[in-house]
Amino acid sequence: MSVDPQKEPVKALLQMLDLADGGGARTLEDIFVGQTITSMRNRVYGGQVLAQASMAAIRTVPEDRAIHSMHAYFLRPGDVNFPITFGVERVRDGRSFSARRIHAYQDGKTILSMIASFQARAGGLDHQDEIPQDVPDPETLPTLRDLLGSIDLPEARATAFERPFDMRYVTEPLFLPWRGTNEAYNAVWIKALAPLPDDPNIHRAALAYASDYTMLEPVLRRHGKSWVEPGLNVASLDHAMWWHRDARADEWILYVQASPSASSARGLGVGRMFTQDGMLIATTAQEGMMRLPEFHSE
């Protein structure tokens, strides 16, 4: 039985990650089936498909091998009214690494294609970037419900009440017309709204889910744009993620993004995730199509 994503968004997230096994069907692929739990959106949120594809691949590798990277292409928008079928090809199992190719299907068409890599834990060289300094404590910043909860519009209510993550913006949010400094930088604190199971795979998949929320915002901010820009058309094209170290997605994580380039109606965002005590746990990258009316061809 589905839960109400507005009343219990974290339970909805966990239900989405709990894929069915496809009735044991297998050809060249292991088959899994995932559901979308939402009440106000027509398209499937990209982070959901990333997280579910990661979970499908995780289900096919030995327990001692953790997902450490994935590279995905968004090929078609997903429809929230239908389940998503995930086919996992076991490309390779080596002595310490495993590779999986995952396709997500709806109506016989591929909506996402991903390659994921897994590794058994190993010793080696160790260094990391430092966490940004002088960042406000998350508990001192407003929540999305504070910012958007009183706006009676479907998109605002979905953002305020359906997201399973508490999000606190360090930089000014882009939900209203932009009036700040045009810089290619974005920062937000995130954590799950309720405790998650102790399974590290759930936390890695949950971080993949959250990683898609704000990846293109530094592109918009650099050019003085916001999500309510008239005629703005944005679509994620691809997404990559590298998990460096274990962390819990139900504890505060600082997610900072920058944009090194935008050109030819495409913008690139690069992100880093840090625990509150400064450990770098993941790096992300995403390119998106970003079209504006003033650049439309005649």
PDB file of all heavy atoms in Angstrom, residues 67-84:
ATOM      1  N   ILE A  67      28.856   0.476  -4.238  1.00  0.00           N
ATOM      2  CA  ILE A  67      28.848   1.343  -5.417  1.00  0.00           C
ATOM      3  C   ILE A  67      29.764   2.538  -5.155  1.00  0.00           C
ATOM      4  O   ILE A  67      29.706   3.170  -4.107  1.00  0.00           O
ATOM      5  CB  ILE A  67      27.417   1.790  -5.760  1.00  0.00           C
ATOM      6  CG1 ILE A  67      27.389   2.514  -7.107  1.00  0.00           C
ATOM      7  CG2 ILE A  67      26.792   2.626  -4.644  1.00  0.00           C
ATOM      8  CD1 ILE A  67      25.980   2.748  -7.647  1.00  0.00           C
ATOM      9  N   HIS A  68      30.687   2.795  -6.088  1.00  0.00           N
ATOM     10  CA  HIS A  68      31.593   3.940  -5.924  1.00  0.00           C
ATOM     11  C   HIS A  68      31.476   4.950  -7.054  1.00  0.00           C
ATOM     12  O   HIS A  68      31.955   6.088  -6.921  1.00  0.00           O
ATOM     13  CB  HIS A  68      33.049   3.464  -5.785  1.00  0.00           C
ATOM     14  CG  HIS A  68      33.646   2.961  -7.071  1.00  0.00           C
ATOM     15  ND1 HIS A  68      34.262   3.783  -7.978  1.00  0.00           N
ATOM     16  CD2 HIS A  68      33.704   1.709  -7.590  1.00  0.00           C
ATOM     17  CE1 HIS A  68      34.686   3.063  -9.004  1.00  0.00           C
ATOM     18  NE2 HIS A  68      34.352   1.808  -8.803  1.00  0.00           N
ATOM     19  N   SER A  69      30.814   4.574  -8.145  1.00  0.00           N
ATOM     20  CA  SER A  69      30.613   5.570  -9.204  1.00  0.00           C
ATOM     21  C   SER A  69      29.477   5.134 -10.110  1.00  0.00           C
ATOM     22  O   SER A  69      29.195   3.942 -10.270  1.00  0.00           O
ATOM     23  CB  SER A  69      31.884   5.784 -10.034  1.00  0.00           C
ATOM     24  OG  SER A  69      32.169   4.652 -10.836  1.00  0.00           O
ATOM     25  N   MET A  70      28.824   6.132 -10.687  1.00  0.00           N
ATOM     26  CA  MET A  70      27.824   5.862 -11.720  1.00  0.00           C
ATOM     27  C   MET A  70      27.822   7.010 -12.714  1.00  0.00           C
ATOM     28  O   MET A  70      28.107   8.162 -12.376  1.00  0.00           O
ATOM     29  CB  MET A  70      26.432   5.644 -11.123  1.00  0.00           C
ATOM     30  CG  MET A  70      25.881   6.787 -10.340  1.00  0.00           C
ATOM     31  SD  MET A  70      24.931   7.998 -11.270  1.00  0.00           S
ATOM     32  CE  MET A  70      23.958   8.708  -9.938  1.00  0.00           C
ATOM     33  N   HIS A  71      27.527   6.650 -13.960  1.00  0.00           N
ATOM     34  CA  HIS A  71      27.457   7.613 -15.055  1.00  0.00           C
ATOM     35  C   HIS A  71      26.175   7.317 -15.821  1.00  0.00           C
ATOM     36  O   HIS A  71      26.003   6.211 -16.347  1.00  0.00           O
ATOM     37  CB  HIS A  71      28.677   7.490 -15.971  1.00  0.00           C
ATOM     38  CG  HIS A  71      29.985   7.703 -15.269  1.00  0.00           C
ATOM     39  ND1 HIS A  71      30.689   8.889 -15.319  1.00  0.00           N
ATOM     40  CD2 HIS A  71      30.692   6.881 -14.468  1.00  0.00           C
ATOM     41  CE1 HIS A  71      31.775   8.783 -14.595  1.00  0.00           C
ATOM     42  NE2 HIS A  71      31.806   7.577 -14.060  1.00  0.00           N
ATOM     43  N   ALA A  72      25.287   8.293 -15.879  1.00  0.00           N
ATOM     44  CA  ALA A  72      23.952   8.044 -16.429  1.00  0.00           C
ATOM     45  C   ALA A  72      23.572   9.114 -17.438  1.00  0.00           C
ATOM     46  O   ALA A  72      23.977  10.282 -17.330  1.00  0.00           O
ATOM     47  CB  ALA A  72      22.920   8.013 -15.298  1.00  0.00           C
ATOM     48  N   TYR A  73      22.750   8.697 -18.407  1.00  0.00           N
ATOM     49  CA  TYR A  73      22.138   9.619 -19.362  1.00  0.00           C
ATOM     50  C   TYR A  73      20.625   9.555 -19.217  1.00  0.00           C
ATOM     51  O   TYR A  73      20.047   8.467 -19.214  1.00  0.00           O
ATOM     52  CB  TYR A  73      22.534   9.269 -20.801  1.00  0.00           C
ATOM     53  CG  TYR A  73      23.898   9.769 -21.178  1.00  0.00           C
ATOM     54  CD1 TYR A  73      25.019   8.973 -20.972  1.00  0.00           C
ATOM     55  CD2 TYR A  73      24.078  11.046 -21.715  1.00  0.00           C
ATOM     56  CE1 TYR A  73      26.283   9.438 -21.293  1.00  0.00           C
ATOM     57  CE2 TYR A  73      25.339  11.515 -22.046  1.00  0.00           C
ATOM     58  CZ  TYR A  73      26.440  10.706 -21.828  1.00  0.00           C
ATOM     59  OH  TYR A  73      27.692  11.164 -22.136  1.00  0.00           O
ATOM     60  N   PHE A  74      20.001  10.734 -19.089  1.00  0.00           N
ATOM     61  CA  PHE A  74      18.546  10.837 -19.118  1.00  0.00           C
ATOM     62  C   PHE A  74      18.126  10.916 -20.590  1.00  0.00           C
ATOM     63  O   PHE A  74      18.470  11.870 -21.288  1.00  0.00           O
ATOM     64  CB  PHE A  74      18.081  12.088 -18.379  1.00  0.00           C
ATOM     65  CG  PHE A  74      18.440  12.104 -16.916  1.00  0.00           C
ATOM     66  CD1 PHE A  74      19.495  12.881 -16.457  1.00  0.00           C
ATOM     67  CD2 PHE A  74      17.727  11.354 -15.997  1.00  0.00           C
ATOM     68  CE1 PHE A  74      19.826  12.911 -15.118  1.00  0.00           C
ATOM     69  CE2 PHE A  74      18.042  11.380 -14.652  1.00  0.00           C
ATOM     70  CZ  PHE A  74      19.103  12.158 -14.203  1.00  0.00           C
ATOM     71  N   LEU A  75      17.382   9.936 -21.056  1.00  0.00           N
ATOM     72  CA  LEU A  75      17.049   9.853 -22.473  1.00  0.00           C
ATOM     73  C   LEU A  75      15.633  10.315 -22.797  1.00  0.00           C
ATOM     74  O   LEU A  75      15.386  10.875 -23.866  1.00  0.00           O
ATOM     75  CB  LEU A  75      17.243   8.411 -22.966  1.00  0.00           C
ATOM     76  CG  LEU A  75      18.658   7.860 -22.758  1.00  0.00           C
ATOM     77  CD1 LEU A  75      18.718   6.404 -23.194  1.00  0.00           C
ATOM     78  CD2 LEU A  75      19.682   8.693 -23.522  1.00  0.00           C
ATOM     79  N   ARG A  76      14.709  10.067 -21.884  1.00  0.00           N
ATOM     80  CA  ARG A  76      13.319  10.483 -22.057  1.00  0.00           C
ATOM     81  C   ARG A  76      12.738  10.812 -20.694  1.00  0.00           C
ATOM     82  O   ARG A  76      13.173  10.251 -19.686  1.00  0.00           O
ATOM     83  CB  ARG A  76      12.475   9.366 -22.702  1.00  0.00           C
ATOM     84  CG  ARG A  76      12.841   9.028 -24.132  1.00  0.00           C
ATOM     85  CD  ARG A  76      11.972   7.877 -24.647  1.00  0.00           C
ATOM     86  NE  ARG A  76      12.256   7.570 -26.046  1.00  0.00           N
ATOM     87  CZ  ARG A  76      13.216   6.748 -26.441  1.00  0.00           C
ATOM     88  NH1 ARG A  76      13.976   6.143 -25.541  1.00  0.00           N
ATOM     89  NH2 ARG A  76      13.421   6.524 -27.733  1.00  0.00           N
ATOM     90  N   PRO A  77      11.735  11.704 -20.645  1.00  0.00           N
ATOM     91  CA  PRO A  77      11.075  11.945 -19.354  1.00  0.00           C
ATOM     92  C   PRO A  77      10.281  10.724 -18.924  1.00  0.00           C
ATOM     93  O   PRO A  77       9.713  10.006 -19.750  1.00  0.00           O
ATOM     94  CB  PRO A  77      10.159  13.142 -19.642  1.00  0.00           C
ATOM     95  CG  PRO A  77       9.930  13.102 -21.119  1.00  0.00           C
ATOM     96  CD  PRO A  77      11.185  12.549 -21.719  1.00  0.00           C
ATOM     97  N   GLY A  78      10.254  10.480 -17.605  1.00  0.00           N
ATOM     98  CA  GLY A  78       9.457   9.378 -17.077  1.00  0.00           C
ATOM     99  C   GLY A  78       8.061   9.842 -16.714  1.00  0.00           C
ATOM    100  O   GLY A  78       7.848  10.993 -16.336  1.00  0.00           O
ATOM    101  N   ASP A  79       7.087   8.935 -16.807  1.00  0.00           N
ATOM    102  CA  ASP A  79       5.684   9.219 -16.508  1.00  0.00           C
ATOM    103  C   ASP A  79       5.373   8.671 -15.114  1.00  0.00           C
ATOM    104  O   ASP A  79       5.527   7.468 -14.854  1.00  0.00           O
ATOM    105  CB  ASP A  79       4.790   8.549 -17.551  1.00  0.00           C
ATOM    106  CG  ASP A  79       3.322   8.956 -17.436  1.00  0.00           C
ATOM    107  OD1 ASP A  79       2.865   9.257 -16.304  1.00  0.00           O
ATOM    108  OD2 ASP A  79       2.629   8.961 -18.472  1.00  0.00           O
ATOM    109  N   VAL A  80       4.907   9.534 -14.201  1.00  0.00           N
ATOM    110  CA  VAL A  80       4.652   9.122 -12.820  1.00  0.00           C
ATOM    111  C   VAL A  80       3.497   8.127 -12.708  1.00  0.00           C
ATOM    112  O   VAL A  80       3.343   7.465 -11.672  1.00  0.00           O
ATOM    113  CB  VAL A  80       4.350  10.341 -11.919  1.00  0.00           C
ATOM    114  CG1 VAL A  80       5.516  11.300 -11.900  1.00  0.00           C
ATOM    115  CG2 VAL A  80       3.071  11.050 -12.349  1.00  0.00           C
ATOM    116  N   ASN A  81       2.692   7.999 -13.744  1.00  0.00           N
ATOM    117  CA  ASN A  81       1.509   7.145 -13.669  1.00  0.00           C
ATOM    118  C   ASN A  81       1.796   5.673 -13.957  1.00  0.00           C
ATOM    119  O   ASN A  81       0.896   4.839 -13.820  1.00  0.00           O
ATOM    120  CB  ASN A  81       0.450   7.647 -14.658  1.00  0.00           C
ATOM    121  CG  ASN A  81      -0.019   9.050 -14.322  1.00  0.00           C
ATOM    122  OD1 ASN A  81      -0.526   9.294 -13.240  1.00  0.00           O
ATOM    123  ND2 ASN A  81       0.184   9.976 -15.255  1.00  0.00           N
ATOM    124  N   PHE A  82       3.023   5.355 -14.337  1.00  0.00           N
ATOM    125  CA  PHE A  82       3.351   3.982 -14.704  1.00  0.00           C
ATOM    126  C   PHE A  82       4.616   3.528 -13.983  1.00  0.00           C
ATOM    127  O   PHE A  82       5.503   4.349 -13.675  1.00  0.00           O
ATOM    128  CB  PHE A  82       3.550   3.866 -16.223  1.00  0.00           C
ATOM    129  CG  PHE A  82       2.319   4.224 -17.005  1.00  0.00           C
ATOM    130  CD1 PHE A  82       2.173   5.495 -17.547  1.00  0.00           C
ATOM    131  CD2 PHE A  82       1.300   3.300 -17.188  1.00  0.00           C
ATOM    132  CE1 PHE A  82       1.037   5.833 -18.258  1.00  0.00           C
ATOM    133  CE2 PHE A  82       0.161   3.633 -17.904  1.00  0.00           C
ATOM    134  CZ  PHE A  82       0.025   4.904 -18.435  1.00  0.00           C
ATOM    135  N   PRO A  83       4.737   2.228 -13.699  1.00  0.00           N
ATOM    136  CA  PRO A  83       5.964   1.725 -13.075  1.00  0.00           C
ATOM    137  C   PRO A  83       7.148   1.830 -14.027  1.00  0.00           C
ATOM    138  O   PRO A  83       6.981   2.025 -15.235  1.00  0.00           O
ATOM    139  CB  PRO A  83       5.625   0.263 -12.759  1.00  0.00           C
ATOM    140  CG  PRO A  83       4.531  -0.094 -13.711  1.00  0.00           C
ATOM    141  CD  PRO A  83       3.735   1.164 -13.928  1.00  0.00           C
ATOM    142  N   ILE A  84       8.335   1.722 -13.459  1.00  0.00           N
ATOM    143  CA  ILE A  84       9.581   1.759 -14.231  1.00  0.00           C
ATOM    144  C   ILE A  84      10.244   0.392 -14.105  1.00  0.00           C
ATOM    145  O   ILE A  84      10.419  -0.127 -12.997  1.00  0.00           O
ATOM    146  CB  ILE A  84      10.539   2.846 -13.717  1.00  0.00           C
ATOM    147  CG1 ILE A  84       9.856   4.211 -13.719  1.00  0.00           C
ATOM    148  CG2 ILE A  84      11.809   2.883 -14.569  1.00  0.00           C
ATOM    149  CD1 ILE A  84      10.666   5.301 -13.036  1.00  0.00           C
TER     150      ILE A  84
END
